[in-house]
Amino acid sequence: DKTHANALPDGYLLTKTLKLRYLANSSYVLSGTSDYGTPINMVVTSNKNGRMSIKNIEKGTYTLTEVSPTDGYIKNSVKYTVTVTDSGVSVTSDNADYYYETTDQKVLFNEPYHAFTIQKASSTDSTIGVAGAEFLLSGVSDYGTEVSQTQTTGNTGIATFDHLEAGNYLLTETKAPEHYALDPVSRVVSINKYGTVKIDGLSKEGS
């Protein structure tokens, strides 16, 4: 007889950020064909506690992929393999950085979009922010997304670049305010998946 498995009891499969915050409204598709030839194509969405429940699945091997991430988070491109057998359920991943499990939970991770700020300041008084400087951030993220984002400093001399994926980019001042010199140096901006930002030649306080 066919054996249906209560594959992933409520709370067994969780979605989290890389900094261990539970994520709601993250949707995954479980797809494949059971050992009995039944096609499976099931969408599951995490609740407010980050929990997803996948139930009544026939024995077989399936693929679990994210189709819609939580707002503000990067779509998880990792493919998870879910195997249902008489002895239980196993989940494996082709990227160990985005998956781990405990005795009662299997946890998937999402990376948030990242942001950073810079400040244009007077060379004679670093406490004076300079408005109207335009900066271009350009390059390709670690995930292949092309970036070309222009921001202009406000009254405090601060400009913010956001909605960024991890990667190495080039930061260039493209327009200086009146009476101020254009910075001739293009600087490498490095952002890792945890949101740590390093800008060549700049301190944390800005420029």
Side-chain angles (χ1 to χ4, degrees):
D1 294 333
K2 288 186 178 181
T3 300
H4 292 264
N6 187 358
L8 297 172
D10 188 36
Y12 202 62
L13 187 63
L14 301 175
T15 57
K16 286 185 177 181
T17 70
L18 291 171
K19 293 184 178 180
L20 302 186
R21 173 194 170 202
Y22 293 107
L23 296 180
N25 300 318
S26 177
S27 295
Y28 283 75
V29 168
L30 184 77
S31 60
T33 303
S34 77
D35 289 349
Y36 309 103
T38 304
I40 300 296
N41 191 56
M42 177 186 296
V43 177
V44 289
T45 301
S46 59
N47 65 17
K48 64 181 181 180
N49 298 314
R51 298 180 178 181
M52 296 187 294
S53 180
I54 303 175
K55 298 181 178 181
N56 299 321
I57 304 298
E58 295 174 2
K59 291 186 294 184
T61 300
Y62 307 96
T63 298
L64 185 69
T65 54
E66 186 170 39
V67 292
S68 179
T70 303
D71 287 345
Y73 290 82
I74 300 166
K75 183 179 177 181
N76 185 341
S77 61
V78 176
K79 290 184 178 181
Y80 301 92
T81 299
V82 178
T83 304
V84 181
T85 66
D86 286 331
S87 57
V89 178
S90 66
V91 179
T92 58
S93 165
D94 58 7
N95 189 330
D97 290 340
Y98 288 85
Y99 174 75
Y100 82 90
E101 61 181 279
T102 65
T103 55
D104 61 348
Q105 293 180 345
K106 301 183 185 297
V107 184
L108 318 178
F109 289 103
N110 278 82
E111 179 183 343
Y113 284 106
H114 308 294
F116 70 92
T117 61
I118 58 172
Q119 184 180 42
K120 179 82 171 180
S122 170
S123 61
T124 58
D125 186 348
S126 62
T127 65
I128 299 176
V130 178
E134 291 184 1
F135 289 87
L136 171 66
L137 186 73
S138 59
V140 179
S141 79
D142 289 347
Y143 313 126
T145 302
E146 293 188 6
V147 172
S148 181
Q149 188 177 143
T150 298
Q151 300 292 346
T152 302
T153 57
N155 292 334
T156 59
I158 290 176
T160 299
F161 294 86
D162 55 14
H163 207 73
L164 298 170
E165 298 172 351
N168 294 315
Y169 305 98
L170 203 60
L171 180 67
T172 305
E173 185 175 10
T174 55
K175 180 182 177 182
E178 188 177 1
H179 307 306
Y180 287 89
L182 189 74
D183 185 352
V185 179
S186 292
R187 305 176 189 277
V188 175
V189 179
S190 300
I191 306 174
N192 68 18
K193 66 183 181 181
Y194 298 104
T196 301
V197 179
K198 294 182 180 180
I199 303 177
D200 285 354
L202 297 185
S203 67
K204 286 185 177 181
E205 289 74 28
S207 65

